[in-house]
Amino acid sequence: MTVLNFLTLFTAIANLTLGIIVFSQDNRKPLYRSFFIFSVIDAIWAYTNFHFHLWPSFFIFQSQYSFGGAVLIVALVWILYLTEDRLSRVKLFAIYLLSLLIFSLPYIDGIIIKGLIPAKNNQFDFITGPGFYYYGSFLILYLIYLLYKLSSGFRHASGIKRMQLRYVLFGISIFSFITILFGVILPLFNINPVVAYDAQSSIIWVALTAYAIIAHQLFDIRVIIKKTLEYSGLLAFTIGVYSLIVFLFSHIFGNNNFLSTFIAASLIAFGFDPIRKYLTNVTDKYLFKGEYDAQSVLTQLSQKLSDSVDITQANQSLVTLIKSQMRLTHAAVVTFATEEDKTVAVKNITQDGYANPVDLQQILPEGAVIQQFVHQPRVILTELTRQQCDTNTLDPTTKQICELLLVDLDKVGAAIALPILVNKRAIGMFLVGEKLSGDVFTKEEVEFLTIVSNQTANAIEKARFWEEDQMKSEFVSIASHELLTPTAAMKGYLSMILDDNMGQVDDTARRYLTKVAQSSDRLAQLVEELLNVSRIESGRVKINNRPFSLIDSVQKAVEELQLKAKEKTLDLAFISPTTPLPPVFADPDHVYRVLINLIGNSIKYTARGWVRCFVTQYDQKQLLFTITDSGLGIPEENLPHLFEKFYRADRKDIAGIQGTGLGLYISKKIVELMGGQMWVESTVGKGTTFYFTVPIQQPGDHATTIEPQPVQQSTSQLTRR
């Protein structure tokens, strides 16, 4: 087998493989089906050329002209689909009927080809028949029409479609020129050597079409060329090994078909997988060197977004990471607010890579892209939109909307625009620029960007909640400070009025004033708790850690609250530890407030019975405070929310008990700021037990002041009744 013959065989295999893979991707599309038919006929045509030079016969020679002519006729079908011409069933039937006629004519003896004449060097000349001139002239005219259709489509195309047609047009032009030259023109001038240059020239078409697939996604599957090369390489390996073994054995050991076949099969079996892996690595290296690991990018993005509580920060993390990983010219995120009447206000624009960021300021709320997302959110591919606008099937209104979309997309340089949705409502859009490589976006990449857009929506919504919470906290802080002074004044004046030394107050007035004083106390407590929440969340709580006795603090808190317990006839007691315990290292004032809150809560929610306090050693580094009661208990469904801000369970049995829902939230935060933990266990009807730990003083611990960072909200915090 000569190198020329091997190239012809490779051409046949490459054409057939390419056609099969394209067909397997989506056999419902007319373009894919017609391309498959063309590839099969082209492959058979190349194979007849290969077969003729090994086993020449007149029938095989006739087949060369039959399949060669049919290739040109059938090519028109997929080229028309590619240029987006509409094909009626009648036109399609006519093309295939014509190809059948062209296919049949060479088999009629004497009309197109009369016979073969042996020539030098195992070559052949052939004798043309009377119809050959008409046959050849028709194919030349048909070829001119084919090239005209491609050229016309190329002139009217734009963007990616124009790039696709450029390479296809160039490849088919070379292929067709060589085919007509050696198959028609030279025989017309009685230059009739039978050579395979016409069939082999289709490898040029295969190569250029393959490049269009790689670089410009002709069939939306860049993997086609990768698989084609892999399968062709494996086939070449199999044929090469088998041929080499058979050749060597026939020359060394004579005809030993069984042994040669066995050794060849063994080598192929052992070498198949390593060769496949090698080909996979090579094709990945050269065809997909700009690829990225989508799962890895999503993991990185998820981590960055989870760490962001600011909308601008979250958006910047997104555009920077995606632009870098996908190798984009630029990317941007635009967030906006949509009112119930569908009016829109742009809130934030974050970009990376724009040469002139001012271009993004041209995004208007009433613009076509934003309005599209507000009313009918969907992914917009600029190139696809351009192709749709160029068709003649759109009604005037739809065409106008399409053109307005293109104008807006071109202004901001977006290859893809994706809506950012929360509960099917657009809160922003993600603008993606072109790839630096010039490649188009695959279906998988569009799906990947859609996932990214969804992740961004969650991050933006989380950041928006955080900002709203910050605004609420700021308002609470300001309002609390403003309430502090008049509340203190009210308490002072009421105290003086109720003091008998200031004058006599009749019993009715005293009764009302006492209620006002109690309400004033509750208001003062609420203001103080709101201020504590504000201090905690803004990072303004100072922790003055020093060594002290937790046992002494508990005893003091129990003594202070004994009066309240006796008012409810409750048995409040501190069970002292039986063995000495080391001092703790924390802020004694904050610990005391936590103790007062927990013990006071147990008294408040225990109607009868007892309240017990304990201090034990939790581990080598912490002491454990425990308070348990015989109170109402807490339903299991309320436990996950117990330490949330402003949380109060909706229960009839505690409806009359006053509370702000802030005490446990503040206590848990304070304990955590001091390095401890707080948790709760409860059974309805049997009581509740609260625990918190305090660090034990370690060697080298000295009095320190800690100013913690702002506390971020967590949806996983436990909370109280």
Side-chain angles (χ1 to χ4, degrees):
M1 182 188 296
T2 65
V3 174
L4 201 60
N5 286 343
F6 182 80
L7 181 60
T8 307
L9 178 61
F10 178 80
T11 300
I13 294 170
N15 287 347
L16 181 62
T17 305
L18 188 61
I20 290 172
I21 297 174
V22 169
F23 183 73
S24 67
Q25 295 299 316
D26 193 346
N27 55 27
R28 294 172 298 177
K29 289 184 179 180
L31 172 61
Y32 287 58
R33 290 199 304 266
S34 56
F35 179 82
F36 169 69
I37 293 171
F38 172 76
S39 297
V40 170
I41 295 174
D42 195 5
I44 296 173
W45 176 50
Y47 180 77
T48 58
N49 280 265
F50 166 77
H51 190 280
F52 180 83
H53 284 275
L54 291 182
W55 304 281
S57 71
F58 185 61
F59 174 77
I60 294 299
F61 183 70
Q62 289 174 308
S63 298
Q64 292 181 45
Y65 270 87
S66 293
F67 285 100
V71 161
L72 287 178
I73 306 301
V74 173
L76 179 63
V77 178
W78 77 270
I79 287 173
L80 288 176
Y81 281 126
L82 180 62
T83 55
E84 296 179 357
D85 278 7
R86 300 182 66 182
L87 267 179
S88 65
R89 290 187 177 181
V90 174
K91 185 183 291 187
L92 189 63
F93 176 76
I95 293 172
Y96 282 123
L97 184 62
L98 178 61
S99 67
L100 183 61
L101 175 63
I102 295 298
F103 175 81
S104 303
L105 285 175
Y107 287 112
I108 302 175
D109 291 341
I111 295 182
I112 307 299
I113 304 166
K114 286 185 176 181
L116 290 173
I117 303 173
K120 297 178 180 180
N121 299 323
N122 295 323
Q123 297 292 322
F124 289 87
D125 289 337
F126 66 95
I127 305 170
T128 58
F132 186 87
Y133 300 98
Y134 302 104
Y135 183 84
S137 299
F138 174 78
L139 289 180
I140 291 174
L141 291 174
Y142 191 87
L143 174 63
I144 293 172
Y145 175 72
L146 200 67
L147 294 174
Y148 164 76
K149 291 299 295 182
L150 267 174
S151 301
S152 177
F154 172 74
R155 285 196 306 272
H156 293 91
S158 59
I160 297 167
K161 180 62 67 178
R162 186 178 180 85
M163 295 297 293
Q164 292 172 350
L165 290 175
R166 174 181 296 163
Y167 292 105
V168 173
L169 177 61
F170 186 57
I172 290 184
S173 297
I174 296 175
F175 156 67
S176 301
F177 171 77
I178 296 175
T179 298
I180 295 299
L181 177 65
F182 285 94
V184 178
I185 296 178
L186 293 181
L188 284 174
F189 293 94
N190 295 319
I191 304 173
N192 300 337
V194 178
V195 293
Y197 298 137
D198 50 356
Q200 289 171 351
S201 66
S202 65
I203 194 65
I204 300 173
W205 168 79
V206 172
L208 288 173
T209 304
Y211 179 77
I213 293 171
I214 296 170
H216 303 289
Q217 288 291 278
L218 179 55
F219 293 102
D220 294 331
I221 40 169
R222 182 166 52 177
V223 77
I224 287 177
I225 189 63
K226 166 184 162 70
K227 290 184 177 180
T228 300
L229 293 175
E230 286 180 12
Y231 296 158
S232 299
L234 288 171
L235 183 60
F237 166 73
T238 303
I239 294 173
V241 168
Y242 183 79
S243 302
L244 180 62
I245 296 299
V246 171
F247 174 79
L248 290 175
F249 267 73
S250 63
H251 282 74
I252 298 173
F253 301 105
N255 257 341
N256 193 333
N257 291 333
F258 173 77
L259 184 59
S260 62
T261 302
F262 174 77
I263 293 177
S266 300
L267 288 174
I268 291 169
F270 283 109
F272 191 87
D273 194 56
I275 292 295
R276 181 185 63 80
K277 290 180 179 178
Y278 172 76
L279 290 171
T280 299
N281 291 335
V282 170
T283 52
D284 284 348
K285 179 180 179 181
Y286 290 102
L287 301 182
F288 297 89
K289 56 186 176 183
E291 288 296 288
Y292 52 89
D293 184 354
Q295 190 57 50
S296 174
V297 175
L298 288 175
T299 301
Q300 292 181 56
L301 180 63
S302 178
Q303 183 176 357
K304 287 180 178 293
L305 293 181
S306 65
D307 294 339
S308 302
V309 292
D310 175 73
I311 290 179
T312 302
Q313 181 185 357
N315 292 346
Q316 194 64 57
S317 298
L318 165 70
V319 296
T320 301
L321 181 65
I322 297 303
K323 173 183 173 291
S324 170
Q325 293 294 323
M326 296 189 72
R327 295 170 176 80
L328 305 175
T329 54
H330 50 259
V333 171
V334 180
T335 57
F336 46 78
T338 308
E339 306 298 334
E340 291 184 2
D341 61 355
K342 301 294 184 180
T343 56
V344 179
V346 175
K347 296 292 186 182
N348 180 278
I349 299 176
T350 308
Q351 62 84 28
D352 187 11
Y354 276 84
N356 188 10
V358 178
D359 293 341
L360 290 170
Q361 302 300 326
Q362 301 182 51
I363 298 175
L364 301 176
E366 63 273 15
V369 178
I370 290 183
Q371 289 302 314
Q372 174 72 51
F373 289 152
V374 169
H375 293 88
Q376 292 180 327
R378 62 178 177 85
V379 177
I380 302 174
L381 281 77
T382 301
E383 194 58 42
L384 182 60
T385 303
R386 198 183 310 281
Q387 293 171 12
Q388 292 171 345
C389 289
D390 290 340
T391 61
N392 298 321
T393 58
L394 299 178
D395 60 81
T397 302
T398 306
K399 191 174 183 64
Q400 184 181 13
I401 294 173
C402 186
E403 290 172 348
L404 289 173
L405 273 175
L406 275 181
V407 170
D408 278 8
L409 291 168
D410 288 339
K411 279 182 181 178
V412 296
I416 304 177
L418 303 99
I420 299 174
L421 303 174
V422 172
N423 297 325
K424 298 182 179 180
R425 177 178 59 86
I427 64 168
M429 60 181 179
F430 181 25
L431 304 176
V432 179
E434 299 285 357
K435 291 184 182 180
L436 291 171
S437 64
D439 293 350
V440 298
F441 292 89
T442 64
K443 179 182 177 182
E444 290 75 16
E445 286 174 322
V446 174
E447 291 173 353
F448 165 72
L449 288 170
T450 303
I451 296 172
V452 169
S453 178
N454 292 336
Q455 280 197 358
T456 306
N458 296 332
I460 290 175
E461 196 69 357
K462 183 190 77 171
R464 183 171 290 174
F465 285 145
W466 186 86
E467 287 184 358
E468 290 176 357
D469 197 61
Q470 289 294 100
M471 292 173 63
K472 291 176 184 176
S473 297
E474 187 176 350
F475 170 76
V476 166
S477 178
I478 294 171
S480 300
H481 277 96
E482 293 299 319
L483 286 170
L484 194 60
T485 301
T487 302
M490 287 169 55
K491 288 184 64 177
Y493 287 127
L494 285 167
S495 176
M496 287 189 293
I497 293 172
L498 292 172
D499 188 350
D500 290 337
N501 295 328
M502 294 293 295
Q504 294 295 321
V505 179
D506 65 74
D507 293 341
T508 302
R510 179 176 294 277
R511 187 168 63 253
Y512 288 131
L513 288 171
T514 300
K515 290 182 178 180
V516 173
Q518 291 171 348
S519 296
S520 176
D521 288 340
R522 287 197 296 271
L523 178 60
Q525 181 186 0
L526 174 60
V527 170
E528 182 60 32
E529 289 183 345
L530 288 172
L531 282 171
N532 285 333
V533 170
S534 177
R535 293 187 190 107
I536 289 171
E537 294 184 346
S538 62
R540 291 183 288 113
V541 176
K542 289 186 178 181
I543 305 296
N544 298 306
N545 287 333
R546 61 184 177 85
F548 69 96
S549 170
L550 181 59
I551 294 172
D552 291 346
S553 295
V554 175
Q555 287 176 335
K556 181 181 176 183
V558 168
E559 290 172 3
E560 182 176 333
L561 293 171
Q562 278 291 355
L563 183 60
K564 279 191 174 182
K566 288 179 179 178
E567 288 175 356
K568 298 185 67 174
T569 65
L570 296 176
D571 180 15
L572 171 63
F574 170 48
I575 311 301
S576 298
T578 56
T579 59
L581 294 176
V584 294
F585 188 73
D587 187 317
D589 294 333
H590 283 310
V591 169
Y592 188 74
R593 291 190 189 98
V594 172
L595 290 170
I596 291 294
N597 180 261
L598 291 181
I599 298 171
N601 264 2
S602 290
I603 294 171
K604 186 189 300 185
Y605 290 97
T606 302
R608 63 183 65 86
W610 44 265
V611 177
R612 299 281 185 269
C613 301
F614 306 86
V615 175
T616 56
Q617 185 147 349
Y618 186 65
D619 56 30
Q620 292 183 348
K621 294 185 177 181
Q622 298 179 101
L623 294 188
L624 175 68
F625 171 79
T626 304
I627 179 168
T628 184
D629 60 49
S630 60
L632 301 171
I634 306 167
E636 186 176 353
E637 63 270 17
N638 296 143
L639 288 175
H641 307 287
L642 206 56
F643 294 102
E644 289 176 1
K645 204 166 34 175
F646 298 111
Y647 179 76
R648 284 179 56 79
D650 186 14
R651 295 166 54 190
K652 293 181 180 179
D653 53 356
I654 63 170
I657 300 176
Q658 298 291 332
T660 62
L662 291 172
L664 286 174
Y665 170 82
I666 294 170
S667 296
K668 188 173 190 295
K669 292 298 182 187
I670 291 294
V671 168
E672 290 174 348
L673 288 173
M674 293 186 295
Q677 296 174 299
M678 181 179 288
W679 66 96
V680 62
E681 296 173 355
S682 185
T683 303
V684 175
K686 293 185 178 181
T688 301
T689 302
F690 278 89
Y691 307 88
F692 75 84
T693 60
V694 186
I696 294 173
Q697 182 187 16
Q698 302 295 323
D701 282 344
H702 302 289
T704 56
T705 299
I706 300 174
E707 298 185 9
Q709 295 297 314
V711 177
Q712 294 187 11
Q713 304 303 309
S714 171
T715 57
S716 62
Q717 294 171 343
L718 289 177
T719 66
R720 185 169 214 213
R721 326 177 192 191

